[in-house]
Structure formats: C-alpha cells, structure tokens
C-alpha cells in the first residue's frame, strides 16, 4: 500500500500542529508549513516522515519553496489549511 502524502499549511499553532501529528500517527508522509519558529514546530521536528517548510503563503518565493518540497515528495493526497482567512477566503455554497 502506498503511503498517503498530506500537505498541512500552518503547523506552528495548535490546530495545524495537532492535525499534522494526527496524520503522522496514521502513517502518512506530511509536508507542513510554518511562518515562525514556535514550540509546536520545534516539537514536530522529531518526526521522521515530516518535511517542514518555512513558508509565508503571501510571498511568491515562499510558495516556490513549498512547491519544490511538494514535487520532491511526489503526488499528494490530502490538503489541509490552518492559516488565516485573508489568504483563503470563506467559500459560500449556493442554496
């Protein structure tokens, strides 16, 4: 069975770090992004199947760095965003 690859944006805070740990516990390969070094990021560094990428998704050069990391890991299966809504606005579903 092929291991799933998960991209988690925003692993430096509680929700993103918890989601990241959950996917790692399930045996997934995880690519996690963070803007600033926090205790959560430092604690995650011990996981073997985790690739951490410093990335501010509002900066083009950081997006390119993330894209390079994703290409190196191959196709991804799951995308989870735990970053601010200014970047990814809330989607309203039609009635």
């Amino acid at each position: 069975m092929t291991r799933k690859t998960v991209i988690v944006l925003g692993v430096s805070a509680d929700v993103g770090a918890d989601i990241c740990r959950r996917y790692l516990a399930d045996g997934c390969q995880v690519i996690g992004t963070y803007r600033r070094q926090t205790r959560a990021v430092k604690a995650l560094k011990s996981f073997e199947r985790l690739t951490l990428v410093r990335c501010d998704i509002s900066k083009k050069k950081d997006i390119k760095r993330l894209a390079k990391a994703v290409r190196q890991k191959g196709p991804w299966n799951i995308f989870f965003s735990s970053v601010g809504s200014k970047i990814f606005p809330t989607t309203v579903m039609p009635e």
Side-chain angles (χ1 to χ4, degrees), residues 57-76:
I57 62 169
S58 68
K59 296 181 180 173
K60 190 174 184 174
K61 68 178 175 73
D62 287 3
I63 295 293
K64 287 181 179 182
R65 185 179 319 124
L66 173 58
K68 182 179 178 181
V70 170
R71 279 193 304 272
Q72 289 174 344
K73 295 297 176 186
W76 53 274

Side-chain angles (χ1 to χ4, degrees), residues 46-58:
S46 64
F47 288 93
E48 204 173 285
R49 291 182 319 278
L50 173 63
T51 301
L52 287 168
V53 180
R54 182 172 224 133
C55 180
D56 179 340
I57 62 169
S58 68

Side-chain angles (χ1 to χ4, degrees), residues 3-94:
R3 178 175 286 158
K4 289 185 179 178
T5 299
V6 181
I7 300 169
V8 181
L9 299 185
V11 301
S12 59
D14 296 336
V15 173
D18 289 345
I19 292 294
C20 184
R21 280 192 289 276
R22 176 57 197 222
Y23 280 119
L24 288 164
D26 287 346
C28 296
Q29 170 72 37
V30 178
I31 301 167
T33 70
Y34 65 99
R35 281 190 327 161
R36 63 192 189 297
Q37 191 76 251
T38 62
R39 281 185 285 198
V41 172
K42 289 176 185 173
L44 289 170
K45 286 185 177 182
S46 64
F47 288 93
E48 204 173 285
R49 291 182 319 278
L50 173 63
T51 301
L52 287 168
V53 180
R54 182 172 224 133
C55 180
D56 179 340
I57 62 169
S58 68
K59 296 181 180 173
K60 190 174 184 174
K61 68 178 175 73
D62 287 3
I63 295 293
K64 287 181 179 182
R65 185 179 319 124
L66 173 58
K68 182 179 178 181
V70 170
R71 279 193 304 272
Q72 289 174 344
K73 295 297 176 186
W76 53 274
N77 307 93
I78 301 168
F79 179 89
F80 182 88
S81 177
S82 178
V83 298
S85 62
K86 289 182 181 179
I87 304 300
F88 294 106
T90 305
T91 302
V92 178
M93 299 301 290

